[in-house]
Amino acid sequence: MKVMLVGATGLVGTQVLQLLLDDPRCQTVVAPTRRPLALADAHLLKPVVDFAQLSEAADWWAVDAVICALGTTLKQAGSREAFAQVDHQYPLQVARLARAQGAAAFVLNSAKGADPDSRFFYNRVKGALEQDLRGLGYPSLTLVRPGLIGGDRKEHRAGERVASVVLGALAPVLPRSWRINPAEKIAAAMVEAALQPVPGVRAIEADRLV
C-alpha cells in the first residue's frame, strides 16, 4: 500500500512513521511537512509544503490511505483562528485532495470528547472536523479519540506534565477511559486502521488505547 502521513514530526506522528516504514504491507510513505524531514529511507517520499497553499496537481496525492496526526495547541497557535486552521482546515483540505485522487481510507487522530456542539472550543473544533470528514465519502473512516497522550514531547507542556503525573499515580483506580494513552498505542491503532481498513465510519475510543 501507499500511505500518506500528515503530522509526521509530532509525538504520535513520529511513531506512526516508523511503524509504516517497518511494515512490509506498506510500500511507500508520503509524508508532506513544512520543514524537510531529516530521516532518509528508500520507501519515504517527503515533499516540503505550505499547508495553507497545497498544490492540487502534485502526483503524490495518489495514495491508498491517509493517516492524519496533524495538530497543535492554542498556546502554540497563538489564537483560536490559527488553531482551527491547523486542526480543522489543513486536515480537511488534505482529506479532500487525497480523496479526489482515489484514497479509500482516512484515519484521524482526534480527541476524547470531540463534539461539534461541545462548549469547549478544543473539542468543538475536533468534532467539527470529524463531522466534515464524514461528508467526503471515504469508504473507510476511522476516528481515533485518545485522552491524555503519554510520551516524551519535543516541546514543554506544563499542564500535560502535571496531568500525566496525577493520572499515572491514579491509574490503578481510574476507569480505562480516563487513563493515559501511550503515543505508541495510538500510533499502532492508526497504522492498523490504515493498512487493514474497515468499511464505514468507526471510532476507536480512549479505553481501547490504554
Side-chain angles (χ1 to χ4, degrees), residues 94-185:
V94 166
R96 282 175 174 154
L97 293 175
R99 181 69 187 122
Q101 293 297 322
F106 193 92
V107 183
L108 174 69
N109 187 25
S110 185
K112 176 182 171 68
D115 182 346
D117 298 317
S118 174
R119 62 192 181 96
F120 299 106
F121 177 73
Y122 179 88
N123 289 350
R124 197 160 64 245
V125 171
K126 295 292 188 180
L129 175 57
E130 289 189 2
Q131 186 176 64
D132 289 341
L133 289 173
R134 291 171 187 264
L136 296 183
Y138 272 90
S140 175
L141 173 61
T142 302
L143 308 170
V144 181
R145 296 171 176 161
L148 183 64
I149 301 174
D152 295 324
R153 293 187 183 276
K154 296 177 183 178
E155 75 276 11
H156 177 70
R157 297 184 182 180
E160 283 193 2
R161 182 162 297 182
V162 172
S164 293
V165 172
V166 173
L167 291 180
L170 295 176
V173 297
L174 285 174
R176 289 178 63 86
S177 61
W178 286 97
R179 296 180 191 176
I180 294 172
N181 296 144
E184 58 268 25
K185 288 272 192 178

Side-chain angles (χ1 to χ4, degrees), residues 8 26 43 47 81 103 108 125 141 151 153 158 180 186 196 204-205:
C26 183
H43 300 284
E81 292 75 15
L108 174 69
V125 171
L141 173 61
R153 293 187 183 276
I180 294 172
I186 301 167
Q196 292 289 339
I204 300 178
E205 304 291 352

